[in-house]
């Protein structure tokens, strides 16, 4: 039982390049999330997927797209990377909606640098 | 504006001592409040989840309190250990959805 896994762990991109961050969970959770964490700030929600087949914008969605490939996998795509997207990205999952008191489990993070 | 403020920003204590971290929030309507521990280079790990009606919740040496009237929460760590060195993050959820508001965290250093 690996929990939430993310690939890659580190990535360096040049401005304008594209890439996809991968996330998978093996807990049969319905809901999945993408956050970014910047120094001195709290984690901010980029996109979430309440259940398989649905995705919704979070607090900071500009410059990102997501795909809920199946119940296990939720990917985050940067179409044209910008230096402002330099951050640590965390994927998370929960059995159901967080307002219902369900635990949220986080992956180990992807550290992305855009030069 | 929905905000979560944590204090202090950082704290240094000696191993074996107790400490208390603070969280004030202005999030409304309130659903639940969570405390997470985040080790350096890792994702956050849940410590406690409290709903509006809960005043106290414990998880081993960690005890969280909630005063929903004053919109304040605290996390008390008893008999600190070196492994408690981490960031502690307070998170508040608004009613009715998935949107979480994270505090910036308190960085705790436990020294031998």
């Amino acid at each position: 039982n690996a929990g939430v896994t993310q690939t890659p762990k580190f990535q360096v991109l040049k401005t304008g390049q594209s890439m996809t961050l991968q996330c998978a969970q093996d807990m049969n959770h319905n809901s999945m999330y993408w956050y970014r964490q910047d120094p001195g700030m709290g984690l901010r929600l980029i996109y979430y997927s309440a259940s398989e087949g649905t995705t919704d914008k979070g607090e900071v969605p500009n410059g990102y797209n997501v795909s809920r490939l199946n119940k296990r996998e939720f990917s985050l795509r940067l179409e044209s990377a910008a230096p402002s997207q330099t951050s640590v990205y965390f994927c998370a999952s929960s059995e159901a909606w967080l307002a219902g008191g369900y635990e949220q489990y986080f992956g180990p993070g992807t550290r992305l640098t855009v030069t | 504006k929905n905000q979560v403020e944590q204090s202090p920003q950082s704290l240094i204590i000696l191993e074996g001592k107790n400490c208390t971290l603070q969280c004030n929030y202005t999030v409304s309507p309130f659903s639940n409040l969570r405390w997470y521990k985040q080790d350096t280079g890792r994702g956050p790990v849940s410590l406690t989840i409290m709903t509006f009606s809960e005043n106290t919740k414990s998880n081993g040496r960690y005890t969280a309190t909630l005063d929903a009237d004053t919109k304040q929460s605290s996390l008390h760590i008893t008999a600190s250990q070196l492994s408690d060195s981490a960031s502690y993050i307070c998170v508040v959820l608004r009613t009715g959805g998935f949107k979480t508001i994270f505090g910036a965290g308190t960085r705790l250093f436990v020294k031998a």
Side-chain angles (χ1 to χ4, degrees):
Chain A
N1 190 340
V4 179
T5 56
Q6 293 182 236
T7 56
K9 287 197 169 119
F10 300 93
Q11 183 72 47
V12 179
L13 291 178
K14 293 188 190 310
T15 298
Q17 287 185 317
S18 62
M19 80 160 295
T20 300
L21 280 63
Q22 306 286 355
C23 173
Q25 51 90 11
D26 62 2
M27 296 174 281
N28 200 36
H29 284 171
N30 291 299
S31 305
M32 297 185 73
Y33 315 78
W34 276 105
Y35 294 91
R36 61 178 287 174
Q37 185 174 38
D38 299 299
M41 298 181 68
L43 275 78
R44 292 180 291 169
L45 182 65
I46 305 171
Y47 271 94
Y48 66 96
S49 172
S51 59
E52 186 179 356
T54 70
T55 60
D56 284 286
K57 294 179 181 179
E59 187 183 351
V60 289
N62 291 345
Y64 305 95
N65 284 301
V66 291
S67 296
R68 183 76 183 264
L69 304 169
N70 47 55
K71 193 170 185 180
R72 288 188 65 247
E73 299 172 287
F74 188 38
S75 63
L76 178 72
R77 182 158 178 85
L78 287 70
E79 290 293 351
S80 179
S84 61
Q85 294 178 306
T86 293
S87 188
V88 181
Y89 291 85
F90 288 100
C91 178
S93 72
S94 62
E95 184 176 342
W97 64 321
L98 298 178
Y102 291 95
E103 289 280 0
Q104 190 176 34
Y105 297 86
F106 286 81
T110 293
R111 188 173 295 273
L112 175 67
T113 302
V114 183
T115 62
Chain B
K1 185 179 177 182
N2 293 304
Q3 286 187 312
V4 176
E5 306 271 352
Q6 291 189 245
S7 62
Q9 275 191 315
S10 64
L11 181 63
I12 302 173
I13 62 173
L14 290 175
E15 188 180 13
K17 298 295 187 184
N18 304 335
C19 67
T20 300
L21 314 180
Q22 299 291 341
C23 173
N24 296 337
Y25 62 94
T26 58
V27 177
S28 183
F30 170 90
S31 172
N32 60 66
L33 184 146
R34 299 161 183 245
W35 283 95
Y36 288 88
K37 178 187 180 189
Q38 184 177 21
D39 292 315
T40 301
R42 303 199 142 190
V45 174
S46 179
L47 294 175
T48 62
I49 302 173
M50 287 189 292
T51 61
F52 185 90
S53 59
E54 293 176 299
N55 298 118
T56 304
K57 187 164 269 191
S58 291
N59 178 357
R61 294 179 297 102
Y62 301 101
T63 300
T65 65
L66 174 63
D67 185 334
D69 291 330
T70 62
K71 297 187 177 178
Q72 295 179 322
S73 177
S74 65
L75 181 70
H76 186 75
I77 304 174
T78 304
S80 61
Q81 300 175 358
L82 296 178
S83 58
D84 291 331
S85 294
S87 288
Y88 291 84
I89 302 171
C90 175
V91 184
V92 181
L93 272 82
R94 297 184 66 194
T95 301
F98 292 80
K99 295 195 178 173
T100 45
I101 300 165
F102 284 72
T106 291
R107 188 77 176 94
L108 175 66
F109 300 90
V110 180
K111 298 206 161 190

